Amino acid sequence: MKIELISNFNIEPLKRALLVYEDFKNDQIVCSKYGQIYQTLIDINEKKDLIVIWFTPENVIKSFNDSIYRKSFAIERLLEETNIFVDLVAETASKANTLLVVSMFNFQNYKTYGLLDYNKGIGPSRILLDINQKLAEKFDDIENAYLLDSSTWYSNTKRILNNKMNYIAKVPFSIEIFQNSAEAIKNAITTISGRSKKLVIIDLDNTIWGGVVGENGIDGIELGGHSFIGEAYKDFQKELLSLTHIGIQLAIVSKNDETTAIEAIQKHPEMVFKIENIVSWRINWDDKVKNILEIAKEVNVGLDSIVFFDDNPIERARVRGALPEIFVPELPNDPTQFSLLLRKLNCFDIYSLTTEDQGRTTSYIENIKRKNESYQYESIQDWIDKLETELIVEELNRNNIKRCTQLLNKTNQFNLSTRRLTQSELETWLKGKNNTGITISVKDKFGYLGIVGFIGLKIEGKKIIVTDFILSCRAMGRNIENSMLYIICKFSKTIPNIEYIESKYIKTNRNQPIATFLANSSFKTEDNITYLIYHPFKVDKPKSIKITRKNN
Amino acid sequence: MIKKSEVVEIIYQVIDTHNSTNSLENALVKDINTYIAGINGSLDSLGMITFLVEVESKINQAFGTEIKIFDEELLILNNGEYESVETLSNYILKELNS
């Protein structure tokens, strides 16, 4: 990656702190010269993968400087300065795939006027508030620009400033602040590249409630009520449930009697989540590693997308040892710290929120119903035929591009090229004269799955190149793959003089499913990398699937 | 009377901090003979300043003192005070006990 760090102070320590992380080791990180803020922003002439902008306000907004030295300033001038600054920062977004701007924060504890520090036209705290608001509002319309909330860096450290280093080397912050900021940037990149967690597996006894339900009974567990420990467990449950609102699933793995445990979840009056919020569970006396592996297979998520919470250090060690890809946070002994721990974890950060995310638990549960129903049929084909599946085909557009960016970045298994693109990169790609993006939404008798597929096509001479062939794991194995291939062929027939369709399979550790599909499809290959279908592109539409086109 | 081992321990803490904020290639070994500055040292000027200011802050915090460890003149004169963990701890001990 090409990364540029732009600041009005010496930002070299941030570069060094970033290089500690494996993710940035091979990156080319450039630090701007300090003191030439506006010039640096204007002079960026080569597109970067990532630009980080971190300014201290006294050097960019003159009115702020006046304010901290108790000089009066005209509101009109402050507004003008703020607008110039915000516009320039926003324009920088076009020069990078991702722009991260550190929010302004009163880290110096500028106490200038006391009670008037938040007063409009006077106080420095008010100015910072206004600048952040303007930046945030501006970024609402820029898909690749994000405001990094720096207040958490400052509140998580004992030492914010390093005045001596500031005077000696123009480094105003302590080492801890640079560590925190590097961690935040690393997490932002992890999130944007689609490596956030997707499934949280929880234990029950002493993890989401106090005590052992099998011994104490439903009335004997500590949850809510008037005990502070019970309240702490209830808050932890609230935090866990809140994850489902951003598309992260909950599952249970617990050594317990299943009937008693489920009864506790369903009937305890203080339970925050119900069994309907749980995508899958294994409540038995089996090895937890075996249970986790079963759930991962059932929900169809990679082990590196899973977080496991268990109060028992032996179970944690067992899972860590057997399944190192799974993230197992060290739960403190004190349950009053559980919620805080969950809040502090960065692995649940998101960079976009779609309707598909918000309805994911329902969608997964519907999927399990589909699967359960499939066991009643003699063949998979019989089951597929009865699902009443309908594919809605729509061109890639402003309304669905956010979800398609997610699919590009988060889908691992059924992904032809694992081409990772930011939204702005996808927009740029779409502007290419010969490029077409097609989205696939699916609904059936169990419900609406949302946009689950994406096809990227490029016309090049006499061939059509399939740049992206992506299907969410939730929709795999239902003939939707074949329907997508039919759609590709149908599209190809509409373009004059096309002789063949070409798909290049780029192997990763995770995308064997698409290789298997290609090998069993109408594509021909000699090297298991380049797959071709020749004119007249004879691929039949799967009989039981209805395909409708949605026009923009 | 402050012992040399106490000072060395604080320098080691700063080495830990340094190693956690710098890539492996620039890591320092927690050893009395580790070179810090001069031709044998691995720190560049910013690394050097950061290291010494951090040592100064930690020493003063630990012993309730206000001694000056980072000194531009000493850095320019290059008389060896900052050369290694050994020479730095000797210098700090001298300043603490003076």
Side-chain angles (χ1 to χ4, degrees):
Chain A
M1 282 210 296
K2 281 184 181 169
I3 302 172
E4 180 145 0
L5 309 176
I6 301 173
S7 179
N8 60 300
F9 55 84
N10 183 351
I11 202 163
E12 177 71 26
L14 175 60
K15 175 183 170 179
R16 294 176 188 205
L18 284 172
L19 288 171
V20 171
Y21 292 104
E22 202 63 45
D23 300 40
F24 296 106
K25 277 216 166 116
N26 300 316
D27 293 343
Q28 184 194 328
I29 306 179
V30 177
C31 297
S32 69
K33 284 183 190 156
Y34 51 88
Q36 299 172 17
I37 309 151
Y38 288 102
Q39 202 52 45
T40 308
L41 289 178
I42 293 165
D43 283 350
I44 303 166
N45 45 27
E46 184 196 8
K47 187 145 184 172
K48 308 284 178 185
D49 294 298
L50 170 68
I51 293 179
V52 179
I53 297 178
W54 188 357
F55 291 148
T56 51
E58 61 272 25
N59 295 87
V60 287
I61 308 287
K62 191 175 174 300
S63 302
F64 180 82
N65 220 24
D66 290 342
S67 174
I68 56 174
Y69 289 108
R70 299 184 177 88
K71 272 171 74 180
S72 63
F73 59 89
I75 289 193
E76 295 75 26
R77 202 190 78 204
L78 168 66
L79 262 176
E80 196 189 333
E81 287 169 359
T82 307
N83 286 336
I84 290 172
F85 170 70
V86 169
D87 286 345
L88 199 53
V89 166
E91 276 171 32
T92 313
S94 65
K95 298 170 180 176
N97 293 332
T98 304
L99 172 68
L100 301 177
V101 179
V102 178
S103 66
M104 304 269 184
F105 187 72
N106 189 359
F107 55 84
Q108 299 260 28
N109 259 329
Y110 291 119
K111 189 168 172 288
T112 310
Y113 297 102
L115 289 175
L116 297 184
D117 277 346
Y118 271 100
N119 204 293
K120 194 176 178 70
I122 299 175
S125 300
R126 177 60 176 265
I127 297 175
L128 296 182
L129 200 68
D130 289 344
I131 298 172
N132 282 333
Q133 189 178 340
K134 274 202 183 306
L135 279 170
E137 283 169 359
K138 197 85 180 176
F139 289 179
D140 282 343
D141 299 321
I142 306 173
E143 295 294 343
N144 64 328
Y146 305 89
L147 198 56
L148 283 177
D149 183 4
S150 62
S151 63
T152 54
W153 312 345
Y154 303 121
S155 60
N156 282 342
T157 184
K158 284 181 194 160
R159 201 172 49 141
I160 298 170
L161 299 172
N162 192 332
N163 279 338
K164 191 153 195 168
M165 280 301 291
N166 195 21
Y167 286 117
I168 298 169
K170 297 284 176 280
V171 176
F173 299 111
S174 68
I175 288 172
E176 293 91 323
I177 292 294
F178 286 110
Q179 279 177 313
N180 290 350
S181 53
E183 193 188 350
I185 292 165
K186 182 229 159 210
N187 287 326
I189 296 303
T190 305
T191 306
I192 291 166
S193 59
R195 286 177 282 153
S196 304
K197 302 299 177 190
K198 294 175 182 165
L199 178 70
V200 173
I201 300 181
I202 46 174
D203 173 43
L204 295 176
D205 292 335
N206 292 314
T207 300
I208 65 158
W209 58 58
V212 178
V213 71
E215 288 173 14
N216 308 356
I218 296 174
D219 298 332
I221 58 174
E222 281 189 286
L223 182 62
H226 299 291
S227 106
F228 74 95
I229 294 286
E231 278 185 38
Y233 281 114
K234 192 171 177 176
D235 279 348
F236 186 50
Q237 288 197 11
K238 281 184 192 166
E239 290 289 343
L240 288 166
L241 184 65
S242 74
L243 294 175
T244 66
H245 303 146
I246 55 167
I248 295 160
Q249 309 307 306
L250 297 180
I252 295 170
V253 165
S254 171
K255 285 184 176 164
N256 241 312
D257 172 64
E258 186 174 6
T259 314
T260 313
I262 300 280
E263 199 182 350
I265 294 168
Q266 291 294 61
K267 292 188 178 165
H268 195 287
E270 301 272 4
M271 271 298 295
V272 174
F273 51 78
K274 297 292 173 196
I275 209 71
E276 293 77 27
N277 304 116
I278 306 296
V279 72
S280 179
W281 64 85
R282 294 291 184 279
I283 303 172
N284 52 39
W285 303 99
D286 289 347
D287 179 20
K288 290 198 175 182
V289 168
K290 173 182 165 276
N291 283 333
I292 289 170
L293 285 170
E294 280 180 16
I295 288 181
K297 196 175 169 196
E298 182 181 313
V299 180
N300 210 356
V301 296
L303 293 177
D304 57 357
S305 301
I306 297 175
V307 181
F308 176 61
F309 284 106
D310 197 310
D311 68 297
N312 185 339
I314 296 166
E315 297 289 4
R316 292 200 296 267
R318 163 84 182 121
V319 173
R320 269 193 211 114
L323 309 169
E325 304 96 324
I326 292 184
F327 176 43
V328 185
E330 199 54 27
L331 266 190
N333 290 329
D334 180 359
T336 62
Q337 302 304 311
F338 286 7
S339 299
L340 195 63
L341 172 101
L342 198 55
R343 279 272 162 184
K344 281 187 175 174
L345 296 177
N346 295 306
C347 58
F348 302 121
D349 288 358
I350 56 168
Y351 69 99
S352 70
L353 189 61
T354 61
T355 41
E356 278 80 3
D357 294 324
Q358 289 163 318
R360 188 154 292 139
T361 301
T362 317
S363 181
Y364 272 108
I365 290 168
E366 284 166 0
N367 238 4
I368 289 166
K369 283 183 192 163
R370 285 182 190 100
K371 219 175 234 180
N372 289 340
E373 198 196 68
S374 73
Y375 302 135
Q376 299 166 17
Y377 291 92
E378 275 190 21
S379 73
I380 290 287
Q381 193 53 50
D382 286 349
W383 167 67
I384 290 170
D385 290 347
K386 297 287 185 305
L387 278 172
E388 299 165 25
T389 306
E390 181 181 348
L391 259 68
I392 301 117
V393 182
E394 188 181 16
E395 275 187 24
L396 181 62
N397 60 45
R398 284 186 65 167
N399 300 325
N400 55 34
I401 197 162
K402 193 187 256 190
R403 171 62 183 153
C404 288
T405 310
Q406 263 193 351
L407 281 171
L408 274 163
N409 292 299
K410 290 177 102 172
T411 312
N412 296 309
Q413 299 180 72
F414 200 94
N415 195 335
L416 179 71
S417 57
T418 318
R419 188 167 71 126
R420 307 299 199 196
L421 296 179
T422 62
Q423 188 168 320
S424 71
E425 286 173 315
L426 184 58
E427 278 166 348
T428 308
W429 176 83
L430 190 62
K431 281 177 196 159
K433 203 175 116 196
N434 296 321
N435 298 341
T436 301
I438 299 170
T439 70
I440 310 292
S441 312
V442 172
K443 63 179 177 182
D444 63 18
K445 67 175 183 180
F446 286 99
Y448 179 62
L449 277 84
I451 299 173
V452 291
F454 175 68
I455 301 164
L457 300 171
K458 183 182 178 68
I459 303 165
E460 199 177 278
K462 293 181 174 176
K463 66 179 173 183
I464 285 188
I465 301 170
V466 182
T467 53
D468 309 281
F469 193 169
I470 297 170
L471 182 63
S472 163
C473 55
R474 284 181 295 140
M476 279 160 56
R478 298 175 41 183
N479 260 348
I480 295 168
E481 305 89 326
N482 291 308
S483 306
M484 287 171 75
L485 183 55
Y486 168 77
I487 290 161
I488 293 170
C489 290
K490 207 174 167 199
F491 173 85
S492 304
K493 284 178 190 173
T494 65
I495 312 293
N497 304 323
I498 294 297
E499 291 179 0
Y500 63 98
I501 302 166
E502 179 186 281
S503 296
K504 279 216 161 136
Y505 169 64
I506 299 172
K507 189 177 163 62
T508 69
N509 291 333
R510 309 269 294 275
N511 69 346
Q512 184 54 38
I514 193 160
T516 309
F517 167 76
L518 291 171
N520 296 315
S521 71
S522 304
F523 277 110
K524 303 283 173 241
T525 183
E526 286 181 358
D527 57 4
N528 295 328
I529 294 171
T530 306
Y531 290 83
L532 306 171
I533 298 181
Y534 288 92
H535 191 269
F537 315 124
K538 213 171 162 346
V539 170
D540 294 331
K541 181 177 88 65
K543 278 178 193 160
S544 57
I545 292 183
K546 186 179 166 192
I547 300 176
T548 51
R549 189 188 160 95
K550 186 177 171 189
N551 292 316
N552 299 317
Chain B
M1 189 76 171
I2 297 162
K3 289 183 208 154
K4 185 174 171 179
S5 61
E6 293 175 88
V7 173
V8 171
E9 193 44 50
I10 289 172
I11 297 174
Y12 285 169
Q13 284 174 26
V14 177
I15 288 180
D16 280 337
T17 309
H18 169 85
N19 290 345
S20 69
T21 48
N22 284 274
S23 57
L24 267 182
E25 304 90 79
N26 296 315
L28 294 173
V29 180
K30 282 200 276 186
D31 187 281
I32 194 81
N33 297 314
T34 293
Y35 285 108
I36 301 167
I39 45 167
N40 296 314
S42 62
L43 298 179
D44 63 6
S45 58
L46 180 65
M48 183 73 218
I49 295 166
T50 309
F51 189 87
L52 292 174
V53 170
E54 202 60 20
V55 169
E56 182 178 297
S57 162
K58 282 216 159 31
I59 288 282
N60 285 329
Q61 207 181 337
F63 303 117
T65 52
E66 279 191 22
I67 63 160
K68 187 169 133 186
I69 295 171
F70 172 76
D71 187 326
E72 250 177 322
E73 254 180 66
L74 283 184
L75 206 61
I76 294 162
L77 289 172
N78 195 15
N79 286 336
E81 288 88 348
Y82 302 147
E83 190 181 29
S84 66
V85 173
E86 168 88 72
T87 60
L88 180 62
S89 54
N90 289 337
Y91 170 67
I92 293 169
L93 208 57
K94 195 182 93 196
E95 291 293 305
L96 283 171
N97 294 326
S98 63

